[in-house]
Amino acid sequence: MNQRTPTLLYIDDDGALARLVERGLTRRGYRVVHAASGEEGLERIRRAGAQGNIDGGIDVVALDQYMPGLDGLETLEQIMAIPDAPPVVFVTASQDSSIAVTALKAGAADYLVKDVTGDFIPLLHVAAEGALRQAELQRAREEAEAEIHASRDRYAALAAERELLLREVNHRVGNSLQIIASLLHLQASSAAQDEVKAALTNAMGRVAAVAQVHRRLYTSQDLKSVVLNQYLDSLLEDLRRSAEGNRMSRLTLKAEPIEIDPDRAVAVGIIVNELVMNAVKYAYPDGAGPIHVELNAKGDDLLLSITDNGVGDAVKADPRSTGMGQRIVAAMAAKLDATVERDPSHSGTRIVLKFGRLPAVPGKTSTAAAS
């Protein structure tokens, strides 16, 4: 594909010198057009357009300083005001360096001193080539910056759309899980056998623990984390409402406002549900008693404890127990990379979980063990 011949507009009231410039630059691969005044040069630039089109656009301008009417500096100022103006090489016979400084500050790409014999034409060719390269680099930089801005805008729009979709998904999942929990509650209420009622109630609590996480996500501005004290407060309120009679009227929570990711929040909620329900069933055989849930930070670790003042080790094993709760606690503790210990100094039962504030490094061996 043939490269288009660049066009140089030479603005100078000296017609003879303009002809020398035309002959010299034509031999060097340029098309030269002449304007005898600043006003005529401005008109040619505006008419031709600034993009160097094949139909006569101006690629680069050589501009003389001393002309009747508008002088070079005045013309340069108006050229620079034209959108996408071509680069300008300022050409003058003056040796006054202040003119050069003024021209360059006004936006000229280069500056050179001319002579009446045309010896400056090779220098003008070099200056024009440099101005064209500089203009091309500037256009490429502006296009790259425009593309970067456009990419950022597209990314921001996609991120906002993704956040909206995630919020809607969490909303729908939360609602669906809440419906399942309600159905389990209704089924448990109508169950005649105690073991069936207990199994359905336990299942309802596990579903509600997951549903609460999704509820927190779609009602929060942050879709990447869950504030544990708020989450646990809502979860324990669900457990209070689901309990029969007054067996959980003394269920209390003391938790710091700690944020963790949603997956680990689910694990924490399920553990709390299992251990609280275990305390409700076995800690106080003769009625209700206090059950305390506490969460606090200790350096980079989090400590979660579920405590009752019940019969402790004196409790007899329930022959109907399937051990499902212990297996669930062990599985969720492994997900948290947590240790699970029973406090031997407590008269009732106190289970303490210790896990990192941040997820464990992938591949690290879990230290979790269910008691």
Side-chain angles (χ1 to χ4, degrees), residues 30-97:
Y30 276 78
R31 172 176 172 263
V32 178
V33 294
H34 175 229
S37 67
E39 293 85 351
E40 182 183 346
L42 288 167
E43 178 59 27
R44 291 293 295 268
I45 294 171
R46 294 190 182 103
R47 188 171 67 245
Q51 298 301 321
N53 298 324
I54 294 176
D55 59 353
I58 304 301
D59 296 289
V60 61
V61 176
L63 174 62
D64 184 32
Q65 163 60 6
Y66 296 107
M67 297 179 295
L70 292 175
D71 64 18
L73 290 174
E74 293 169 333
T75 304
L76 175 62
E77 182 179 353
Q78 294 195 37
I79 291 175
M80 291 297 101
I82 298 173
D84 298 319
V88 177
V89 177
F90 206 77
V91 181
T92 180
S94 174
Q95 300 291 333
D96 186 354
S97 61

Side-chain angles (χ1 to χ4, degrees), residues 145-165:
E145 290 175 353
E147 180 57 32
I148 289 172
H149 289 309
S151 297
R152 287 175 179 171
D153 291 342
R154 288 194 296 270
Y155 175 80
L158 288 172
E161 182 180 4
R162 177 179 177 273
E163 181 175 327
L164 181 63
L165 289 173

Side-chain angles (χ1 to χ4, degrees), residues 21-291:
V21 170
E22 182 178 1
R23 285 198 296 270
L25 291 185
T26 298
R27 289 196 297 268
R28 290 172 170 82
Y30 276 78
R31 172 176 172 263
V32 178
V33 294
H34 175 229
S37 67
E39 293 85 351
E40 182 183 346
L42 288 167
E43 178 59 27
R44 291 293 295 268
I45 294 171
R46 294 190 182 103
R47 188 171 67 245
Q51 298 301 321
N53 298 324
I54 294 176
D55 59 353
I58 304 301
D59 296 289
V60 61
V61 176
L63 174 62
D64 184 32
Q65 163 60 6
Y66 296 107
M67 297 179 295
L70 292 175
D71 64 18
L73 290 174
E74 293 169 333
T75 304
L76 175 62
E77 182 179 353
Q78 294 195 37
I79 291 175
M80 291 297 101
I82 298 173
D84 298 319
V88 177
V89 177
F90 206 77
V91 181
T92 180
S94 174
Q95 300 291 333
D96 186 354
S97 61
S98 65
I99 295 178
V101 171
T102 303
L104 293 172
K105 285 184 176 180
D110 206 345
Y111 175 92
L112 60 90
V113 177
K114 71 176 183 177
D115 58 82
V116 296
T117 61
D119 290 340
F120 73 96
I121 292 174
L123 295 177
L124 177 57
H125 173 249
V126 172
E129 290 287 298
L132 287 173
R133 285 195 298 272
Q134 182 179 335
E136 183 62 31
L137 288 173
Q138 179 64 26
R139 281 194 294 271
R141 181 163 52 248
E142 290 173 354
E143 289 173 0
E145 290 175 353
E147 180 57 32
I148 289 172
H149 289 309
S151 297
R152 287 175 179 171
D153 291 342
R154 288 194 296 270
Y155 175 80
L158 288 172
E161 182 180 4
R162 177 179 177 273
E163 181 175 327
L164 181 63
L165 289 173
L166 282 174
R167 200 177 300 280
E168 178 63 21
V169 167
N170 282 313
H171 189 186
R172 291 177 182 272
V173 171
N175 283 350
S176 297
L177 290 172
Q178 195 60 52
I179 291 172
I180 294 171
S182 298
L183 292 174
L184 289 171
H185 177 67
L186 290 174
Q187 193 67 44
S189 299
S190 61
Q193 298 178 326
D194 290 342
E195 55 268 33
V196 173
K197 185 187 295 290
L200 291 172
T201 300
N202 288 341
M204 180 197 68
R206 292 159 189 159
V207 172
V210 181
Q212 275 291 350
V213 168
H214 287 278
R215 188 181 307 166
R216 286 284 155 197
L217 288 175
Y218 76 74
T219 57
S220 169
Q221 294 300 316
D222 185 3
L223 297 177
K224 298 179 181 179
S225 64
V226 175
V227 183
L228 279 179
N229 64 322
Q230 299 174 358
Y231 167 53
L232 291 176
D233 185 59
S234 298
L235 181 60
L236 296 186
E237 183 58 33
D238 285 347
L239 290 175
R240 291 188 190 96
R241 286 198 299 266
S242 66
E244 292 185 359
N246 198 34
R247 290 181 62 82
M248 270 200 263
S249 60
R250 300 176 66 184
L251 178 60
T252 62
L253 170 68
K254 182 180 179 182
E256 296 179 16
I258 298 165
E259 295 185 13
I260 65 172
D261 61 275
D263 286 344
R264 300 171 80 232
V266 167
V268 170
I270 291 176
I271 288 173
V272 169
N273 176 78
E274 296 299 326
L275 294 179
V276 167
M277 292 303 296
N278 191 68
V280 169
K281 288 188 289 185
Y282 302 120
Y284 302 104
D286 299 327
I291 301 171

